[in-house]
Amino acid sequence: MQFPPMKKILVQLDTDPQPSVFDRIVAIDAGADDVFSYGNVDPENAVNLVHGAIFTRGPDDLKNTAIFVGGSNVEQGEAVCRKVTESFFGPMRVSVMMDSNGSNTTAAAAVLLASKHLDFSNCNVLVFGATGPVGQRVCQLLAPEGANVCVASRSKEKAQQLVEKLQNNFESSTFSVCEIGNETERKAMIQKSNAIISSGAAGIPMISKQELFSSKLLQLAIDLNAVPPSGLEGVDARDKAKDRNGVICYGALGVGGLKMKIQKRAIETLFSSSDLVFQTEELFRLATKLL
Amino acid sequence: MQFPPMKKILVQLDTDPQPSVFDRIVAIDAGADDVFSYGNVDPENAVNLVHGAIFTRGPDDLKNTAIFVGGSNVEQGEAVCRKVTESFFGPMRVSVMMDSNGSNTTAAAAVLLASKHLDFSNCNVLVFGATGPVGQRVCQLLAPEGANVCVASRSKEKAQQLVEKLQNNFESSTFSVCEIGNETERKAMIQKSNAIISSGAAGIPMISKQELFSSKLLQLAIDLNAVPPSGLEGVDARDKAKDRNGVICYGALGVGGLKMKIQKRAIETLFSSSDLVFQTEELFRLATKLL
Amino acid sequence: MQFPPMKKILVQLDTDPQPSVFDRIVAIDAGADDVFSYGNVDPENAVNLVHGAIFTRGPDDLKNTAIFVGGSNVEQGEAVCRKVTESFFGPMRVSVMMDSNGSNTTAAAAVLLASKHLDFSNCNVLVFGATGPVGQRVCQLLAPEGANVCVASRSKEKAQQLVEKLQNNFESSTFSVCEIGNETERKAMIQKSNAIISSGAAGIPMISKQELFSSKLLQLAIDLNAVPPSGLEGVDARDKAKDRNGVICYGALGVGGLKMKIQKRAIETLFSSSDLVFQTEELFRLATKLL
């Protein structure tokens, strides 16, 4: 019995009804021979799909099968990803990557681009929308870098909860809190920021052009919102290291190229082993080798 | 980072719950490397799928991605196709083809086959089921050909609406109306027809064998109904230029070979550029190069 | 018009909402170029999918398209498979395989492995869970072998119905009935068994270790339950011809290797012709060539 060489199969577990075309194309372009796309995946129905992935090929061949968890809802994706890894046992496991709504690859790309232009130690970084899925990950990636991170959110309570969590886990960076709706607090914080990263909800402007460029210390502004209007007024979605009033600016599409590279490299790397779990920090580490 | 050569991906947007196996196999046989099949597509959920298709690959590579809109309901397919093209902007676009229920490729094949046997100028062509999805397209394709087209429908009102629409857009052909249920009117019309094309609902007989072959002028009869009984009694689904009582006859399967060729060539051509929109007339133009 | 060489397409009709990843990977590894996976398939919506499979390629090319019926519910799979074969006509057909819940390949593997160690003629074979989907198939495959088969079930009525059906169709083997819940009957039957094959519901123990190894005549024990606890206590899921107290033991994973080989070979064989129907007996015949 002669079978063709083993194909690289990516099992796409998407929490949305229609599995993402974007993730599927990226997977194909990253070298997956086949993408098995599933929509409406939840922690319950994921178990059977994972069993199907780990019980077919022998342990030595399992590196040719991998799982990608995606969809627009990051919390649902996290729950599916947890269930996926819990369903493995012993050598019966495949590599898995979680990137719902592009949250992990986008945060990795933003922090990596910022690190090109800034030395984070003693740097004041203001993160807008910091308690959202991408913002949280940006803060998490900044935490070991020795920066002074200001967690800005519409909810002071959520911001404080995040800061406590980050401070318990990391000693390098220091954290403070800013309530976005409090104008005095916000303006004061902007004044002393060296970098601003905005990752608020799509289409919601965070601050005006005037406020953004009012800071004498500002060196870098990254807006991760791709849907107009901009989160940071004055930053265009296509900005890519664009100098605006002496500030290096990046928009969502400007960050998108690196985000895509990270996603492709990650998919490619999934097929090198059967025991990788790619979440926020692993994807960032992998990303640092790309620059 | 070395990636394999870019694969040709067709995104199949099907309005039915189970995306068509037929369209999927044709796409593979026409050279698509991958078909991403989506069911239950509507104008609302199509937008995200289109964004996924246009935001992954760079503008120069987008000709390797294309969209096929299908499903059994032609009106739903038209609505999805409109939404698809509205979701493009600037160079962020991919080629798209709409062929719900085979309506466009079938109409193109029928009119093209008729043109092999007839000179349309001053030719009387009677179209049964002319206000249905395929019939409308047959009339639309006959409109610039200088024929005398008789639009036959169960509803005189619908027939008149279609005639008005066609007369406003085309000057070459002339149009008249026939109410199928009106026996006198129908029989008179058959008597002076040089060609009859029947595209009524599946399994519904339009006229008897006797009526069909009663016309002394009749040279050609095409029945596009594949489900027995025939729309035109006396014409077999497998007829392919079959001479019956001096009339050249085609049945649905006899037209099917050319329909399939058109569909394959169209899919193949989609991948030559990123800005093609293949609907009724574009598919007919493409078909004329096949004969 | 030059098209690439014709691809081998397997249309996976799965009765579950999420089509089996397991069956899909096996199909790819068996040489299918593409697997078109459909979930929620029932006899009604299957017809269109079958028509799509048989009406695209020419009769000579239809051996490159095949249908696999699967899913966790064996009765639903049987209904879909019946509808599939009913939808063929004349040369418009493709090869089809039915293996819902692995029932056919598992039964074939179990009986084939048993035949390696036993001469079935005048052999007493006790089948636990004999009226379930896999058990029924085990009995069906034993029927022509000249064994004395004891049909053990929780329901004596169901067991008797099965025995009548089997006796009407086969003359080689003889059949008796055992009500599992009746301890005296069960223990007596175990005492005179040369082989025990257990195919009860997942995770439900049938008999204790003590009972199992109480039989002096017992040569072989096969437990097809993969989910702990074992159906036959004392047999490990990974046992593969393992000698335990002089009894050759197989567990579900120990049978799984051959089951998988049968499934792969069957998929591979589907693409050799357009008129194969692979169900219990055909898969067993195919399996006998593998040992």
Side-chain angles (χ1 to χ4, degrees):
Chain A
M1 194 157 23
Q2 183 68 21
F3 292 119
M6 187 152 286
K7 287 193 180 173
K8 285 182 260 176
I9 295 173
L10 188 72
V11 182
Q12 179 189 18
L13 305 183
D14 199 297
T15 56
D16 292 338
Q18 305 279 32
S20 160
V21 169
F22 185 98
D23 291 337
R24 219 165 156 176
I25 294 180
V26 173
I28 292 290
D29 286 349
D33 292 304
D34 268 295
V35 181
F36 294 177
S37 293
Y38 290 87
N40 284 322
V41 176
D42 58 39
E44 210 177 324
N45 64 24
V47 176
N48 235 323
L49 302 173
V50 175
H51 284 172
I54 64 179
F55 287 137
T56 28
R57 293 165 159 186
D60 290 347
D61 292 324
L62 281 177
K63 67 176 182 198
N64 294 305
T65 309
I67 290 175
F68 179 93
V69 178
S72 58
N73 188 310
V74 180
E75 285 182 20
Q76 287 177 11
E78 286 170 337
V80 168
C81 188
R82 259 195 309 279
K83 196 69 182 182
V84 167
T85 53
E86 283 168 17
S87 304
F88 298 154
F89 51 95
M92 311 314 267
R93 63 178 60 243
V94 298
S95 287
V96 56
M97 167 173 175
M98 139 75 192
D99 197 30
S100 291
N101 213 22
S103 54
N104 283 322
T105 47
T106 301
V111 174
L112 190 59
L113 287 171
S115 77
K116 267 177 68 176
H117 300 285
L118 294 173
D119 175 6
F120 284 129
S121 48
N122 293 312
C123 182
N124 297 327
V125 185
L126 174 55
V127 182
F128 282 116
T131 54
V134 175
Q136 278 187 43
R137 288 168 161 79
V138 166
C139 293
Q140 184 185 341
L141 294 176
L142 288 172
E145 302 292 334
N148 302 312
V149 181
C150 178
V151 170
S153 170
R154 273 168 298 181
S155 154
K156 197 152 200 162
E157 205 189 326
K158 280 194 187 176
Q160 259 152 353
Q161 284 170 0
L162 178 61
V163 163
E164 275 164 40
K165 201 175 117 190
L166 290 166
Q167 270 172 337
N168 288 339
N169 289 309
F170 299 96
E171 292 182 10
S172 309
S173 291
T174 61
F175 295 94
S176 57
V177 156
C178 167
E179 190 183 344
I180 293 181
N182 183 328
E183 192 181 333
T184 319
E185 199 174 306
R186 184 183 71 227
K187 287 189 169 171
M189 207 47 97
I190 292 171
Q191 287 301 325
K192 55 180 185 179
S193 294
N194 307 107
I196 295 179
I197 301 177
S198 178
S199 52
I204 295 174
M206 289 288 165
I207 51 171
S208 69
K209 202 168 169 172
Q210 220 173 359
E211 259 188 60
L212 176 62
F213 294 113
S214 68
S215 164
K216 298 275 183 301
L217 301 172
L218 195 67
Q219 298 168 254
L220 181 76
I222 300 180
D223 184 9
L224 298 174
N225 167 25
V227 182
S230 299
L232 302 177
E233 201 198 359
V235 178
D236 189 277
R238 285 158 300 182
D239 284 357
K240 193 172 172 181
K242 167 113 186 162
D243 188 320
R244 293 188 181 272
N245 309 318
V247 177
I248 298 162
C249 293
Y250 283 90
L253 300 179
V255 174
L258 179 58
K259 177 233 178 292
M260 177 76 89
K261 264 193 198 170
I262 297 170
Q263 188 170 349
K264 275 193 190 172
R265 169 57 63 94
I267 299 283
E268 202 188 21
T269 308
L270 285 176
F271 293 111
S272 65
S273 166
S274 67
D275 59 0
L276 300 168
V277 180
F278 281 173
Q279 298 192 76
T280 312
E281 291 167 36
E282 298 85 354
L283 287 167
F284 181 68
R285 271 201 295 279
L286 182 136
T288 57
K289 295 175 202 155
L290 285 174
L291 269 198
Chain B
M1 195 154 24
Q2 182 68 21
F3 291 118
M6 189 153 283
K7 286 193 179 173
K8 284 180 259 177
I9 295 173
L10 188 72
V11 182
Q12 179 189 18
L13 304 183
D14 199 297
T15 55
D16 292 338
Q18 306 280 31
S20 161
V21 168
F22 185 97
D23 291 337
R24 220 163 155 176
I25 294 180
V26 173
I28 292 290
D29 286 350
D33 293 303
D34 269 296
V35 181
F36 293 177
S37 294
Y38 290 86
N40 284 322
V41 176
D42 58 38
E44 209 178 324
N45 64 23
V47 176
N48 235 322
L49 301 172
V50 175
H51 284 171
I54 63 179
F55 286 138
T56 29
R57 294 167 158 183
D60 290 347
D61 293 324
L62 280 177
K63 66 175 182 196
N64 294 304
T65 310
I67 291 175
F68 179 93
V69 178
S72 58
N73 187 311
V74 180
E75 285 182 19
Q76 286 177 13
E78 286 169 338
V80 168
C81 189
R82 259 194 309 278
K83 196 70 183 183
V84 167
T85 52
E86 283 168 17
S87 304
F88 297 155
F89 51 95
M92 312 312 267
R93 63 179 59 243
V94 298
S95 287
V96 56
M97 166 173 176
M98 140 74 191
D99 196 31
S100 291
N101 214 20
S103 54
N104 283 323
T105 48
T106 302
V111 175
L112 190 59
L113 286 171
S115 76
K116 266 177 69 175
H117 301 284
L118 294 173
D119 175 7
F120 284 128
S121 47
N122 293 314
C123 181
N124 297 325
V125 185
L126 173 56
V127 182
F128 282 116
T131 54
V134 175
Q136 278 187 43
R137 288 168 161 79
V138 166
C139 293
Q140 184 185 339
L141 293 177
L142 288 172
E145 302 292 333
N148 303 313
V149 181
C150 177
V151 170
S153 170
R154 274 168 299 183
S155 154
K156 198 152 199 162
E157 203 190 328
K158 280 193 185 175
Q160 258 149 353
Q161 283 169 2
L162 178 60
V163 163
E164 275 164 39
K165 201 174 117 192
L166 290 165
Q167 271 172 336
N168 289 338
N169 289 308
F170 299 95
E171 293 185 8
S172 310
S173 292
T174 61
F175 295 93
S176 57
V177 157
C178 167
E179 189 183 346
I180 293 180
N182 182 330
E183 194 181 332
T184 319
E185 198 174 308
R186 184 184 69 227
K187 288 190 168 171
M189 206 48 96
I190 292 172
Q191 287 303 324
K192 56 179 183 177
S193 294
N194 306 107
I196 295 179
I197 302 178
S198 178
S199 52
I204 294 173
M206 290 287 165
I207 51 171
S208 69
K209 201 168 169 171
Q210 222 174 358
E211 259 189 59
L212 176 62
F213 295 113
S214 68
S215 164
K216 297 276 185 301
L217 301 173
L218 195 66
Q219 296 169 257
L220 180 76
I222 300 180
D223 183 8
L224 298 174
N225 166 26
V227 182
S230 299
L232 301 177
E233 203 197 358
V235 178
D236 189 276
R238 286 159 300 183
D239 283 356
K240 193 172 171 180
K242 169 111 185 165
D243 188 317
R244 294 186 181 272
N245 308 319
V247 177
I248 299 163
C249 294
Y250 284 90
L253 301 178
V255 173
L258 179 59
K259 177 232 179 289
M260 177 77 87
K261 263 193 200 172
I262 298 170
Q263 188 170 348
K264 275 194 191 174
R265 169 56 65 92
I267 299 283
E268 202 187 21
T269 308
L270 285 177
F271 293 111
S272 66
S273 165
S274 66
D275 58 0
L276 300 167
V277 180
F278 281 173
Q279 299 193 75
T280 311
E281 290 167 36
E282 297 86 354
L283 287 167
F284 182 67
R285 271 200 295 277
L286 182 137
T288 55
K289 296 175 202 156
L290 285 174
L291 269 198
Chain C
M1 195 155 24
Q2 182 69 20
F3 292 118
M6 189 153 284
K7 287 194 178 171
K8 285 181 261 177
I9 294 173
L10 188 71
V11 182
Q12 179 189 19
L13 304 184
D14 200 296
T15 56
D16 293 338
Q18 306 279 31
S20 162
V21 168
F22 184 98
D23 291 336
R24 220 164 154 176
I25 294 180
V26 173
I28 292 290
D29 286 350
D33 292 304
D34 268 295
V35 181
F36 293 177
S37 294
Y38 291 87
N40 284 323
V41 175
D42 58 38
E44 209 177 324
N45 64 24
V47 176
N48 235 322
L49 301 172
V50 175
H51 285 171
I54 63 179
F55 287 137
T56 28
R57 294 166 159 185
D60 290 347
D61 292 324
L62 279 178
K63 67 176 181 194
N64 294 304
T65 309
I67 290 175
F68 179 93
V69 178
S72 58
N73 188 311
V74 180
E75 284 182 20
Q76 286 176 12
E78 286 170 337
V80 167
C81 188
R82 259 194 309 278
K83 196 69 183 184
V84 166
T85 53
E86 283 168 19
S87 304
F88 298 154
F89 51 94
M92 311 313 266
R93 63 179 59 243
V94 299
S95 287
V96 57
M97 167 174 176
M98 140 73 192
D99 197 29
S100 291
N101 212 21
S103 54
N104 283 323
T105 48
T106 301
V111 174
L112 190 60
L113 286 172
S115 76
K116 265 178 68 176
H117 301 285
L118 294 173
D119 175 7
F120 284 128
S121 49
N122 292 312
C123 182
N124 297 325
V125 186
L126 175 55
V127 182
F128 283 117
T131 54
V134 175
Q136 277 187 43
R137 287 169 161 80
V138 167
C139 294
Q140 184 185 341
L141 293 177
L142 288 171
E145 302 293 333
N148 303 311
V149 181
C150 179
V151 170
S153 171
R154 274 169 297 184
S155 155
K156 196 151 201 162
E157 204 190 327
K158 280 195 186 175
Q160 258 152 353
Q161 285 170 0
L162 178 60
V163 163
E164 276 165 39
K165 201 175 116 189
L166 291 165
Q167 271 172 336
N168 289 339
N169 290 308
F170 298 96
E171 292 184 7
S172 309
S173 292
T174 61
F175 295 93
S176 58
V177 157
C178 168
E179 189 183 344
I180 292 181
N182 182 330
E183 194 181 330
T184 319
E185 198 175 307
R186 185 183 69 226
K187 288 190 168 172
M189 206 47 98
I190 292 172
Q191 287 301 324
K192 55 179 184 180
S193 294
N194 305 108
I196 295 179
I197 301 177
S198 179
S199 52
I204 293 174
M206 290 288 166
I207 52 171
S208 69
K209 201 167 167 171
Q210 221 174 359
E211 259 190 58
L212 176 63
F213 294 113
S214 69
S215 166
K216 297 277 183 300
L217 301 172
L218 195 66
Q219 296 169 255
L220 180 76
I222 300 179
D223 184 7
L224 298 174
N225 167 26
V227 182
S230 299
L232 303 175
E233 201 199 359
V235 177
D236 189 276
R238 285 158 300 182
D239 283 357
K240 193 173 171 179
K242 168 111 185 164
D243 188 320
R244 293 187 182 272
N245 308 317
V247 177
I248 298 162
C249 293
Y250 284 89
L253 300 179
V255 174
L258 180 58
K259 177 234 179 290
M260 176 77 88
K261 263 193 199 170
I262 298 170
Q263 188 170 349
K264 275 193 192 175
R265 169 56 64 93
I267 299 282
E268 201 188 22
T269 309
L270 285 177
F271 293 111
S272 66
S273 165
S274 66
D275 58 359
L276 300 168
V277 180
F278 281 172
Q279 299 193 75
T280 312
E281 292 167 34
E282 297 87 352
L283 287 167
F284 182 67
R285 270 200 296 277
L286 182 136
T288 56
K289 295 175 204 156
L290 286 174
L291 269 197

